[in-house]
Amino acid sequence: MTVEQNVLQQHSQKHQQTLLNQLREVTGTTDIQLLQQALQVSNGDLAEAVAFLTEKNAKVPQQDETTYYQTSQVASDRYISVGSQADTNVIDLTGDDKDDLQRAIALSLEESNRAFRETGITDEEQAISRVLEASIAENKASLKRTHTEVWSDSPNPHDRKRKDNCPVGLKNVGNTCWFSAVIQSLFNLLEFQRLVLNYSPPARVLDLPRNQKEHRNLPFMQELRNLFSLMVGSKRKYVDPSRAVEILKDAFKSSESQQQDVSEFTHKLLDWLEDAFQMKAEEDSVGEKPKNPMVELFYGRFLAVGVLEGKKFENTEMFGQYPLQVNGFKDLHECLEAAMVEGEIESLHSAENSARSGQEHWFTELPPVLTFELSRFEFNQALGRPEKIHNKLEFPSMLYMDRYMDRNREITRIKREEIRRLKEHLTLLQQRLERYLSYGSGPKRFPLADVLQYAMEFASSKPVCTSPVEDIDTSAPPGGTTGQQLPPPPSSTSELDSLPPQESSGSASAPTAAATAAQQQRVAVHKPFTQSRLPPDLPMHPAPRHITEEELRVLEGCLHRWRSEVENDTRDLQGSITRIHRTIELMYSDKSMMQVPYRLHAVLVHEGQANAGHYWAYIYDPHQRCWMKCNDISVTKSSWEELVRDSFGGYRNASAYCLMYINDKKPFLIEEEFDKETGQILSGMDKLPPDLKQYVKEDNEQFDKEIEEWDAMQARKAQQEKLALAAAAAAASAAPSSTSTSSSSPQPMSIASSPPDNTVPQQDPEYLEQPSPTNDFKHLQEDTERAISRAAAEQEERNPEVLLNAAIKLEYARLVRFAQEDTPPEMDYRLHHVIVYFIQNEAPKKILERTLLTQFADRNLAFDERCKSIMQVARAKLDLIKPEEVNMDEYEMWHQDYRNFRETTVLMVTGLELFQKSNYVEALMYLIYSYQYNRELLLKGPYRGHDEEFLGYHRRECLLKLNEQAAAMFESAEEPEVTTGLGIMNELVVPCIPLLLAYDTEKDLLAVEDMRNRWCSYLGQEMEPNLQEKLTDFLPKLLDCSTEIKSFHDPPKLPSYSTLELCERFGRIMAALGRGPTEGR
């Protein structure tokens, strides 16, 4: 067969597959046998095929057992696509008017076929075009948006700078997370990476006819090379793939949009790469059959052995991505077993001419890169839309493919038959065991051994009969009447039976008529109580009434023997079941069936529903021996446990969608390239050919220039601020000052400022000194004056230095008591005084001493001679402190921490007050920043900040309330409300989700899951097209699992609170909420 004939045949086969896809999406029928039969009956006419299927579905709901798909016989080099998916845009065929419906379908199919004949573009390719158009449009539109965007770059290039040799991420340019997931998986196949980087277009490409494929594939290959080269040598943390996406967009023409699924995109991408490498291979191989590296890397062959109505057939077929059904299976091997054996295959192994039909697949040649497409979407015929399958499906990190190889056909058949026989026996044993574990004939059943044990306990119980009034407090009977002494119960049952009903609960010693009447009157008063009494001879616990010792001995012997027999039988059954399970597990564990190992290389994960979602990839790094999570711009280290949680499914809306295994006996797939001369591993720019080196070099120079410009701009800003501060200081020093009390007001310290010079009086923290006794710090002055007065009263010596030392000791003792006091939630003495904060956090003694001296050196104390003299002594002592005695950097750091604590408290109090008023929009930023600042404080010590759980709860609740408000607005379907609701989500909730995911706390994860589930639930509801479009556009942002904080609001402005006002507000809000940050301290 010539190359031209081979290409024509492949095109015809692809077209046939396209017809199948169209028929599947139009009718919603997923049965491949039925689809093939419809095409055969209609001779390829889709309109007739649809009519055939519509009529058949109406008349014969179940498939005819004798109708089965027969693989047409072709040459051994045949190519068949196995990996294409049905489009999710499905026509509903449930309407009543069948004629009108079929005419509409016929017109639609005719239009589709005409478009294919005229342009050569299939519907599948047009679907990819739609998503690419949407991606580029959104990327361009994002440049015009003014509000905060999730995908916007940080203006600071240092935030976007690559650290060391960390893997490079890919920017999501709008619904392109599927692109990032696939490209990262392929890029980390180093053999594939080398093929792409070293690709060069055919030398005679300009002389060849520039058909559509060349217009599409060659520019795309060049942009893919550029993208890969940036991922190798860029200085950026992540790179922009827009150019490669634009090439894909230009390949097809469509204006509609939808989010593309991973497997379909991967299939088409490999198709284009195959075409591009085919041109190069044909040029390089003169007179030989061209070898396409893409085919050799990703494509394998299997042998289809089957029987159709008693006639055997055997064909070789080529495959790329191998599709596997998920529904109904628990692990990957079960999926593979089901995919390899279809229909009734008994006739394959017997000489009889059976009328049954079936086929087996046996791999004759596996590709080095084996890709499984997990079919997690199914079409819901009743609802007329696709739905995602969230079932759990386990898969191993090492997969042995020996049992599916053609060379092991006979031994595998024997083992499968043995497993089938074992499973049948296992079913019988489990049924027998179930009879022991669920014994009984009624609705409630119990283990038989327990039933016998309970019977034995009952038989051995001794009857203990008591008076029904023994346990009643006779001093205060019900009804409030005075209690009376009641006689003991009758001695026998006959005595009880001989009494009248009234006498049985009354006094036995009342023979007179008057006494009897009185007794009857009492019974009437307490009738409810009397009627609720137990019969007088009823035992306190169940027990036999009449049983002899001999009967009990025989019964106990029987019950004990029977229970032992049942327990032995149960153990034997459980042991047999365990052994059979173990035998089945080890059926393929011998060395002969572990010769074809495939190691898991990448897992592509989808989170969301059928209509929308987010993609990311887990990729194994064999050099670091760890899993990497590639989530758009974020590439982080992960673990097998995290992969299992996100990929197996069944836990939440996330599950694996595509599995990529590589042949573990072909290390060249993931081995680094070595320099032929030096023998050193090539890394970074050394891996690139000259043209790509230049390309990356230019991009890095551009990025370096961007950093330089940013640094220069920041330096100019800093210089301007420095000049402004110097000017302000000069103006302050030039102001008239006649006394020491008229010095300029000190500026707040900054943690970035340089240490002050000890030869100049130090500027002390703003909460310790003020130019005048304002309300803000009046309490501090009053505390100081009170300490001085107490010291003067206790000391006979009037020396200012002695009084200062005594006052400092008294003040310190008072603050120590505060620091050690067990306070209620609404009282936090750390807010009252910095020394309390320092004591609780074990600040150095020198820091405490200097801070107290600063308090007594306040110029505002100079209202009388005693305070003035003490203030002067304190200031003199401050001036005498040498630099080596107190580390001013450390002193400043402690006071900066306290300022941060107060600011965090102000943020928290303001946020909680707004939260209490249900003003969640304004409260959110206060709670978000207070939580973040508080977390930074707590990293230094448990008493540096407030209760993290308390703050986290209100931050989480605020987000949930906002999500609820936004969802309610969306449900209203009113345009202004919908826009406002989505604005709240995009500008407030979505940017905060990475903060909840960052620390992986269970409650935060559940909150995020609740928010996502609320919005994903709308996918199954009927709504206006414009609402559906907005929802589809919004969901990928909400479902993005990245913990990268891409952009965020500025911190809110801090209100100005005095210390007393802050303490009062703190106390009120904590008392109102019933729990404070001091809890658990």
Side-chain angles (χ1 to χ4, degrees):
M1 180 182 292
T2 65
V3 172
E4 183 177 304
Q5 289 172 330
N6 189 29
V7 171
L8 288 174
Q9 186 181 39
Q10 290 184 11
H11 184 272
S12 174
Q13 292 159 3
K14 290 181 182 179
H15 179 57
Q16 182 184 14
Q17 184 66 34
T18 301
L19 293 178
L20 280 173
N21 290 342
Q22 289 178 334
L23 190 58
R24 185 190 295 119
E25 70 181 53
V26 167
T27 63
T29 301
T30 56
D31 192 333
I32 189 66
Q33 308 165 31
L34 208 55
L35 294 172
Q36 282 283 353
Q37 182 188 9
L39 281 181
Q40 291 173 359
V41 170
S42 63
N43 293 322
D45 189 320
L46 286 181
E48 292 185 11
V50 170
F52 172 81
L53 286 174
T54 305
E55 182 179 357
K56 188 173 185 65
N57 286 339
K59 295 180 178 179
V60 188
Q62 295 189 358
Q63 177 188 350
D64 187 352
E65 187 173 320
T66 61
T67 305
Y68 197 77
Y69 162 64
Q70 179 183 8
T71 308
S72 56
Q73 299 184 11
V74 294
S76 61
D77 59 349
R78 173 182 176 185
Y79 168 86
I80 287 185
S81 168
V82 185
S84 55
Q85 288 265 349
D87 197 297
T88 57
N89 296 327
V90 183
I91 299 176
D92 187 5
L93 292 177
T94 59
D96 296 332
D97 195 340
K98 298 291 183 180
D99 294 336
D100 291 345
L101 182 61
Q102 292 192 10
R103 280 197 297 273
I105 292 171
L107 288 173
S108 174
L109 294 173
E110 183 180 352
E111 182 68 25
S112 176
N113 288 331
R114 182 169 66 252
F116 176 77
R117 289 192 297 270
E118 292 175 356
T119 64
I121 302 175
T122 66
D123 287 348
E124 184 182 14
E125 294 165 334
Q126 290 177 11
I128 294 181
S129 173
R130 289 194 290 272
V131 68
L132 295 169
E133 288 277 4
S135 299
I136 299 301
E138 176 158 341
N139 192 35
K140 290 179 179 178
S142 65
L143 301 177
K144 303 176 183 178
R145 296 175 185 167
T146 57
H147 62 274
T148 306
E149 279 291 332
V150 180
W151 311 115
S152 60
D153 292 324
S154 169
N156 185 351
H158 290 283
D159 295 339
R160 295 180 273 115
K161 188 175 182 180
R162 185 179 182 183
K163 296 179 182 178
D164 301 325
N165 291 319
C166 291
V168 175
L170 292 174
K171 183 180 179 181
N172 189 329
V173 294
N175 290 349
T176 56
C177 47
W178 47 270
F179 180 89
S180 301
V182 174
I183 292 299
Q184 288 281 19
S185 302
L186 295 174
F187 173 80
N188 283 277
L189 282 170
L190 298 186
E191 177 64 13
F192 179 84
Q193 182 189 120
R194 285 188 287 269
L195 287 171
V196 171
L197 291 174
N198 295 312
Y199 176 84
S200 58
R204 299 190 303 274
V205 68
L206 297 177
D207 301 329
L208 294 174
R210 299 304 300 267
N211 56 32
Q212 182 193 6
K213 284 187 177 181
E214 290 185 21
H215 278 293
R216 176 188 69 195
N217 296 338
L218 296 179
F220 175 74
M221 276 301 303
Q222 185 56 44
E223 286 305 330
L224 191 61
R225 292 181 71 236
N226 292 342
L227 183 60
F228 272 27
S229 67
L230 290 175
M231 294 171 73
V232 168
S234 178
K235 292 183 179 180
R236 303 175 190 267
K237 184 179 180 180
Y238 57 90
V239 294
D240 191 336
S242 294
R243 290 186 178 181
V245 173
E246 283 208 43
I247 295 296
L248 293 173
K249 182 264 302 185
D250 291 337
F252 313 109
K253 303 297 178 184
S254 175
S255 59
E256 301 177 26
S257 65
Q258 69 177 56
Q259 189 177 44
Q260 192 66 333
D261 77 48
V262 170
S263 63
E264 188 173 350
F265 171 74
T266 309
H267 171 74
K268 190 54 62 178
L269 173 65
L270 295 179
D271 226 7
W272 297 342
L273 294 174
E274 180 191 348
D275 291 340
F277 277 96
Q278 185 66 29
M279 289 186 288
K280 181 66 175 174
E282 290 174 358
E283 181 187 65
D284 295 342
S285 57
V286 180
E288 301 178 2
K289 185 176 180 180
K291 291 185 177 181
N292 191 319
M294 288 295 106
V295 174
E296 294 184 348
L297 200 58
F298 293 102
Y299 292 95
R301 285 185 170 81
F302 65 83
L303 187 67
V305 182
V307 173
L308 178 64
E309 297 180 356
K311 297 180 181 179
K312 295 184 179 181
F313 65 86
E314 189 171 303
N315 302 312
T316 299
E317 301 180 12
M318 191 177 238
F319 71 94
Q321 296 179 87
Y322 202 86
L324 296 175
Q325 294 296 321
V326 171
N327 212 3
F329 306 109
K330 68 177 183 180
D331 58 43
L332 187 61
H333 277 299
E334 285 192 3
C335 295
L336 275 166
E337 290 282 355
M340 303 301 282
V341 179
E342 302 176 3
E344 300 291 340
I345 60 169
E346 284 83 353
S347 55
L348 288 171
H349 319 310
S350 63
E352 300 177 5
N353 186 12
S354 172
R356 293 182 175 180
S357 301
Q359 65 173 336
E360 293 176 327
H361 288 178
W362 299 96
F363 292 118
T364 57
E365 181 183 345
L366 288 174
V369 182
L370 179 59
T371 306
F372 294 114
E373 169 198 325
L374 303 181
S375 180
R376 283 197 171 270
F377 293 146
E378 65 180 1
F379 190 86
N380 189 317
Q381 295 278 11
L383 298 177
R385 64 168 179 264
E387 291 182 341
K388 186 176 179 183
I389 302 169
H390 295 294
N391 298 355
K392 183 178 181 180
L393 183 79
E394 299 178 359
F395 48 84
S397 58
M398 185 68 73
L399 178 69
Y400 293 96
M401 295 294 293
D402 303 74
R403 69 185 80 173
Y404 311 109
M405 301 302 295
D406 183 53
R407 62 174 177 265
N408 296 323
R409 189 195 303 185
E410 295 306 320
I411 188 171
T412 299
R413 282 176 174 170
I414 293 173
K415 288 181 178 291
R416 283 178 180 170
E417 179 60 28
E418 178 65 15
I419 289 175
R420 186 191 64 78
R421 187 186 63 79
L422 286 172
K423 285 184 175 180
E424 288 179 355
H425 186 48
L426 181 66
T427 302
L428 294 175
L429 291 178
Q430 288 172 334
Q431 291 173 350
R432 289 181 60 188
L433 179 62
E434 184 66 17
R435 296 191 189 103
Y436 281 94
L437 298 180
S438 299
Y439 184 81
S441 57
K444 291 185 178 180
R445 301 179 179 227
F446 304 92
L448 180 54
D450 292 347
V451 172
L452 295 172
Q453 176 65 27
Y454 301 152
M456 192 184 310
E457 292 172 0
F458 173 78
S460 304
S461 299
K462 302 296 183 182
V464 180
C465 296
T466 61
S467 169
V469 296
E470 264 187 14
D471 296 330
I472 299 171
D473 185 4
T474 56
S475 63
T481 58
T482 304
Q484 63 182 33
Q485 186 66 37
L486 296 178
S491 58
S492 68
T493 306
S494 59
E495 184 180 345
L496 174 70
D497 295 337
S498 65
L499 292 174
Q502 294 86 351
E503 293 180 1
S504 64
S505 59
S507 175
S509 59
T512 65
T516 304
Q519 176 68 18
Q520 290 175 345
Q521 185 177 3
R522 281 197 299 276
V523 170
V525 172
H526 301 299
K527 189 172 182 179
F529 172 68
T530 309
Q531 288 180 340
S532 66
R533 291 180 180 178
L534 298 174
D537 64 340
L538 188 68
M540 293 301 293
H541 55 78
R545 295 292 184 90
H546 305 287
I547 186 170
T548 65
E549 292 294 329
E550 182 65 23
E551 289 173 337
L552 180 60
R553 186 168 59 255
V554 172
L555 183 57
E556 283 184 340
C558 292
L559 289 172
H560 182 75
R561 183 176 71 255
W562 295 340
R563 183 171 182 270
S564 298
E565 292 171 355
V566 168
E567 287 178 341
N568 291 335
D569 291 347
T570 302
R571 278 195 297 269
D572 291 344
L573 287 170
Q574 290 173 334
S576 298
I577 289 172
T578 301
R579 286 192 295 274
I580 291 177
H581 275 302
R582 186 64 177 163
T583 303
I584 293 174
E585 289 175 4
L586 299 177
M587 187 65 70
Y588 296 100
S589 62
D590 53 291
K591 289 186 177 179
S592 64
M593 299 300 285
M594 300 177 70
Q595 300 302 309
V596 189
Y598 273 76
R599 185 177 55 76
L600 187 62
H601 164 70
V603 180
L604 279 63
V605 181
H606 174 268
E607 181 178 36
Q609 302 294 338
N611 293 18
H614 180 66
Y615 293 101
W616 68 93
Y618 288 101
I619 302 170
Y620 186 71
D621 186 338
H623 307 291
Q624 298 190 48
R625 295 185 178 181
C626 70
W627 285 93
M628 306 297 291
K629 183 178 182 179
C630 300
N631 191 348
D632 290 337
I633 67 173
S634 172
V635 182
T636 55
K637 284 187 177 181
S638 184
S639 63
W640 175 254
E641 289 73 24
E642 184 181 4
L643 183 153
V644 166
R645 185 192 67 189
D646 287 349
S647 305
F648 278 11
Y651 172 66
R652 52 179 187 167
N653 287 338
S655 53
Y657 192 68
C658 188
L659 305 177
M660 194 176 289
Y661 284 87
I662 57 176
N663 192 323
D664 203 42
K665 290 188 174 181
K666 295 185 178 179
F668 72 90
L669 293 169
I670 52 173
E671 278 185 349
E672 295 283 1
E673 192 175 0
F674 290 85
D675 188 286
K676 296 180 181 178
E677 296 180 359
T678 64
Q680 299 294 321
I681 294 179
L682 295 177
S683 61
M685 299 284 281
D686 296 335
K687 299 169 70 172
L688 305 178
D691 63 323
L692 294 180
K693 277 186 182 178
Q694 184 61 30
Y695 177 79
V696 175
K697 181 180 177 183
E698 292 174 359
D699 184 77
N700 286 339
E701 288 174 353
Q702 182 181 353
F703 186 61
D704 288 338
K705 184 179 179 182
E706 185 181 349
I707 292 178
E708 290 174 6
E709 291 174 352
W710 171 268
D711 291 342
M713 181 178 70
Q714 297 304 309
R716 286 195 301 272
K717 286 184 178 180
Q719 184 65 23
Q720 291 170 359
E721 292 175 0
K722 186 176 181 180
L723 292 174
L725 289 173
S733 62
S737 57
S738 57
T739 65
S740 61
T741 60
S742 60
S743 62
S744 61
S745 174
Q747 298 293 326
M749 287 187 179
S750 169
I751 200 166
S753 62
S754 58
D757 186 358
N758 279 34
T759 60
V760 181
Q762 299 297 327
Q763 291 181 345
D764 292 306
E766 58 185 353
Y767 43 80
L768 294 179
E769 179 181 358
Q770 287 290 304
S772 61
T774 61
N775 289 333
D776 193 8
F777 294 96
K778 192 174 181 180
H779 78 286
L780 190 61
Q781 177 189 338
E782 292 173 351
D783 291 342
T784 307
E785 293 169 356
R786 192 179 301 111
I788 292 174
S789 299
R790 286 185 59 194
E794 294 177 4
Q795 295 292 328
E796 296 180 359
E797 180 66 47
R798 299 301 177 184
N799 185 293
E801 185 172 358
V802 174
L803 288 177
L804 173 64
N805 293 336
I808 286 179
K809 288 181 180 178
L810 288 170
E811 178 69 355
Y812 181 72
R814 181 179 73 91
L815 297 175
V816 167
R817 287 197 301 274
F818 285 166
Q820 295 174 347
E821 186 176 333
D822 187 12
T823 59
E826 59 271 14
M827 177 66 71
D828 191 339
Y829 283 122
R830 293 176 299 173
L831 296 174
H832 289 249
H833 205 291
V834 62
I835 292 294
V836 177
Y837 183 84
F838 286 173
I839 292 172
Q840 288 189 356
N841 290 288
E842 301 178 351
K845 182 179 178 183
K846 294 291 185 182
I847 304 296
L848 296 173
E849 291 174 352
R850 181 180 176 85
T851 302
L852 282 170
L853 268 178
T854 303
Q855 176 180 335
F856 283 87
D858 183 5
R859 293 185 180 90
N860 295 318
L861 298 177
F863 70 95
D864 64 16
E865 288 303 319
R866 184 176 61 191
C867 290
K868 181 178 180 180
S869 60
I870 288 176
M871 178 269 293
Q872 290 174 344
V873 171
R875 296 190 73 83
K877 283 180 174 288
L878 282 175
D879 294 340
L880 291 173
I881 295 176
K882 298 178 181 179
E884 61 270 17
E885 292 179 358
V886 177
N887 186 328
M888 290 307 298
D889 287 341
E890 186 180 16
Y891 177 84
E892 183 181 346
M893 181 196 71
W894 274 97
H895 282 276
Q896 182 61 47
D897 283 353
Y898 184 65
R899 276 193 291 272
N900 293 341
F901 169 73
R902 284 174 61 94
E903 290 177 0
T904 301
T905 305
V906 172
L907 287 168
M908 181 183 79
V909 169
T910 308
L912 292 176
E913 288 174 342
L914 292 168
F915 179 88
Q916 190 183 28
K917 297 174 183 176
S918 300
N919 191 347
Y920 305 118
V921 172
E922 292 186 26
L924 180 63
M925 284 302 109
Y926 287 100
L927 294 174
I928 288 292
Y929 274 97
S930 63
Y931 181 88
Q932 293 302 115
Y933 292 167
N934 189 69
R935 186 177 179 84
E936 293 173 8
L937 288 171
L938 292 177
L939 292 176
K940 296 183 178 181
Y943 306 135
R944 294 290 187 117
H946 297 290
D947 184 3
E948 185 176 17
E949 184 180 348
F950 173 75
L951 264 175
Y953 168 80
H954 286 91
R955 178 187 70 158
R956 185 168 58 248
E957 283 299 304
C958 191
L959 282 168
L960 288 170
K961 295 288 186 183
L962 283 173
N963 185 74
E964 192 69 25
Q965 287 183 357
M969 291 177 180
F970 183 82
E971 290 172 1
S972 71
E974 298 292 334
E975 184 61 32
E977 292 286 304
V978 170
T979 302
T980 303
L982 291 178
I984 290 174
M985 295 302 296
N986 281 321
E987 297 181 14
L988 294 176
V989 178
V990 169
C992 294
I993 284 180
L995 299 174
L996 269 66
L997 297 175
Y999 307 114
D1000 207 27
T1001 60
E1002 182 180 0
K1003 292 180 180 177
D1004 285 347
L1005 292 177
L1006 289 174
V1008 173
E1009 193 68 20
D1010 288 344
M1011 289 187 280
R1012 288 173 172 166
N1013 288 339
R1014 176 66 182 270
W1015 289 90
C1016 286
S1017 67
Y1018 296 138
L1019 290 171
Q1021 300 179 14
E1022 296 295 332
M1023 64 180 68
E1024 296 294 328
N1026 64 319
L1027 292 181
Q1028 184 67 51
E1029 182 180 351
K1030 289 182 178 181
L1031 181 64
T1032 304
D1033 176 67
F1034 162 68
L1035 275 178
K1037 300 174 185 178
L1038 179 65
L1039 296 174
D1040 181 8
C1041 292
S1042 172
T1043 56
E1044 185 81 20
I1045 302 173
K1046 303 179 177 71
S1047 65
F1048 212 62
H1049 293 260
D1050 294 330
K1053 293 182 179 180
L1054 289 177
S1056 179
Y1057 292 159
S1058 68
T1059 299
L1060 290 177
E1061 186 180 8
L1062 178 59
C1063 292
E1064 289 174 1
R1065 286 179 174 268
F1066 177 86
R1068 280 199 302 270
I1069 193 65
M1070 289 300 154
L1073 296 174
R1075 180 185 176 198
T1078 57
E1079 183 172 306
R1081 256 194 322 161

